[in-house]
Amino acid sequence: IRHLEEGDVLEALEDVFDRKLRLVALKMERQLANRKWLTIFEFRHTLMQNYLYGTLSAPRRRRLHQLVGDYLEELYKDNLELIVTTLARHYVESGDLYKLIRYGLVSASHAERAYDFKAARVWLEKVAEHVPIVGPDPLIAADILCRLGRVQLRTGDFNQAESSYSRAFEYAAEVQDEFTVFRVLTDL
């Protein structure tokens, strides 16, 4: 993606994919703080988008998501808050677990502040699923699982909340952190 000339990409999108094949349309264009322009095209129909996406091999999809995520991260480095959920989605698909956890937690926080507990739950579940793989500090894992338990309670899934709190308690007890153990118990 980075190695393509911007003019060639725009020409292909506008002339071939928009005017001739009618597959995409210009969605928006805006100038960013770094004086670069961001041009966004979208597929005219989700069936075509899904078909073309489905034709990519899994390794290629992962690589493209990583490239797009890294490029957006660089492009928006001064305003990451604007695209944090988009970054999280790309890093979920790319398999970059560290960035998934970083941006997934921020996306969950945004959703919680907007009282969108279902979206917060989705992000926290994705993060919690990968916590054991990257092996963070047990206190961080306990905190993530407490947050997950809270949103599971708010979405009415009491059994899952109990499971999340139990796992959080285990992490906190593992390092014998009394404050975190107390916090987990008071959340229950």
Side-chain angles (χ1 to χ4, degrees):
I1 291 172
R2 291 177 192 235
H3 308 292
L4 301 174
E5 290 294 322
E6 182 179 345
D8 294 340
V9 172
L10 283 174
E11 184 178 329
L13 285 169
E14 289 175 342
D15 291 343
V16 178
F17 291 100
D18 184 12
R19 291 192 190 103
K20 292 180 183 166
L21 299 175
R22 313 275 306 147
L23 295 176
V24 298
L26 177 65
K27 180 177 180 180
M28 66 172 279
E29 185 174 60
R30 72 171 171 208
Q31 191 169 19
L32 302 173
N34 59 7
R35 302 180 53 97
K36 291 185 180 182
W37 283 90
L38 177 66
T39 306
I40 298 175
F41 285 83
E42 67 183 351
F43 282 92
R44 292 183 186 270
H45 201 288
T46 55
L47 287 176
M48 183 54 70
Q49 178 183 355
N50 292 340
Y51 170 75
L52 291 173
Y53 187 78
T55 63
L56 298 172
S57 68
R60 185 171 180 131
R61 266 196 311 269
R62 275 193 303 279
R63 176 136 171 75
L64 287 173
H65 279 290
Q66 185 73 43
L67 287 170
V68 169
D70 290 348
Y71 184 73
L72 288 173
E73 196 176 39
E74 180 183 313
L75 194 62
Y76 280 88
K77 65 184 168 205
D78 297 326
N79 286 318
L80 288 175
E81 289 292 315
L82 295 174
I83 61 161
V84 71
T85 302
T86 300
L87 288 171
R89 276 193 226 110
H90 282 294
Y91 291 125
V92 163
E93 296 298 327
S94 75
D96 187 330
L97 301 183
Y98 292 100
K99 288 185 179 183
L100 154 62
I101 290 171
R102 176 182 174 192
Y103 294 119
L105 288 173
V106 176
S107 296
S109 294
H110 285 199
E112 286 174 289
R113 281 195 300 275
Y115 299 100
D116 186 354
F117 298 114
K118 288 182 182 178
R121 179 180 174 169
V122 167
W123 285 116
L124 288 168
E125 285 174 347
K126 286 182 190 307
V127 169
E129 173 185 337
H130 295 94
V131 163
I133 298 168
V134 295
D137 184 295
L139 296 178
I140 294 171
D143 184 60
I144 291 167
L145 290 164
C146 276
R147 286 180 63 191
L148 177 57
R150 278 194 295 277
V151 297
Q152 287 167 329
L153 284 175
R154 289 184 172 129
T155 57
D157 196 340
F158 304 111
N159 292 334
Q160 286 296 317
E162 181 182 16
S163 173
S164 295
Y165 281 122
S166 293
R167 289 174 50 214
F169 182 80
E170 289 170 11
Y171 276 113
E174 174 184 322
V175 291
Q176 300 176 349
D177 185 76
E178 293 173 9
F179 176 76
T180 306
V181 169
F182 177 75
R183 200 181 74 227
V184 171
L185 290 174
T186 56
D187 266 13
L188 287 173

